[in-house]
Amino acid sequence: MTTSVPATTFADPASAQSLERAAASLAANGFDVEILDDVAAARVRVRDLVPEGASVFTGASETLRLSGIQDDINVRGRYRAVKPRVLAMDRATSADEIRRLTATPDVVVGSVAAVTETGSLVVASGSGSQLPAYAGGAAHAIWVVGAQKVVPDLDTALRRVHEYALPLESVRAQAAYGYPSAVNRLLVLNAEYQPGRGTVLLLREAIGF
């Protein structure tokens, strides 16, 4: 199977003004928002935000992998990392426990496919495993978002999902699992009603899909 990857502006970092507009809208919608210079700053900030010993689930994310945050959480031993635990479990006999562990961690850390300047987060998923925790199951959610993911509105965000992020994720999935990805589930977070629950770390640099 050959998957074409479009060359579009969806790979380009948003302007400082666009980041500021997105941050202001997210804050107005109840999210905690910080604009950080780069992934190094994001790694430090995630460590500050996540209490030592907390149960932490990481959503599948090139942003987390490339930044080193994935290994900081799942390998270093500072937290009760959920992902290594569930990967070691038998999915046939432990499906219910896996579902509960991934849906209700103390903290979920991940990324999104797009952030709109109107203050929405858009998450696309093949399996949906990270969506319960993102939507409200986790006590605290942290999303690390590269500057290229900021778009004007929801229509553009959905275009970004299908025209840009999906082809790239399909290439990754084909190599990793032997089959392409699909947008089987789509989550749009328009607001966070619980103060302090959702934190968005917007980076001034591009990273991830």
Side-chain angles (χ1 to χ4, degrees), residues 22-33:
S25 296
L26 287 165
N29 291 346
F31 296 96
D32 291 344
V33 190

Side-chain angles (χ1 to χ4, degrees), residues 58-81:
T58 53
S61 165
E62 280 296 279
T63 298
L64 296 193
R65 184 185 70 82
L66 293 169
S67 66
I69 293 171
Q70 178 176 284
D71 283 350
D72 289 345
I73 293 170
N74 294 327
V75 177
R76 311 296 182 216
R78 178 179 172 84
Y79 312 108
R80 290 182 291 124

Side-chain angles (χ1 to χ4, degrees), residues 5 9-10 15 18 31 35 60 73 75 88 93 105 108 112 120 132 135 142 155 157 182 199:
V5 178
T9 56
F10 290 137
S15 68
S18 180
F31 296 96
I35 298 178
I73 293 170
V75 177
T93 60
V108 63
V112 299
S120 295
I142 301 169
D155 285 344
T199 299

Side-chain angles (χ1 to χ4, degrees), residues 75-139:
V75 177
R76 311 296 182 216
R78 178 179 172 84
Y79 312 108
R80 290 182 291 124
V82 171
K83 179 157 284 185
R85 180 176 174 185
V86 299
L87 289 176
M89 297 168 71
D90 185 280
R91 293 187 174 273
T93 60
S94 303
D96 284 345
E97 186 176 0
I98 291 171
R99 175 175 50 80
R100 286 189 289 268
L101 286 168
T102 57
T104 59
D106 296 329
V107 183
V108 63
V109 182
S111 190
V112 299
V115 175
T116 71
E117 292 182 19
T118 53
S120 295
L121 305 176
V122 178
V123 185
S125 178
S127 69
S129 61
Q130 77 277 44
L131 301 189
Y134 281 5

Side-chain angles (χ1 to χ4, degrees), residues 8-15 147-150 160 164 206:
T8 75
T9 56
F10 290 137
D12 298 333
S15 68
Q148 84 282 15
K149 297 183 180 184
V150 176
R160 188 180 196 281
Y164 183 76

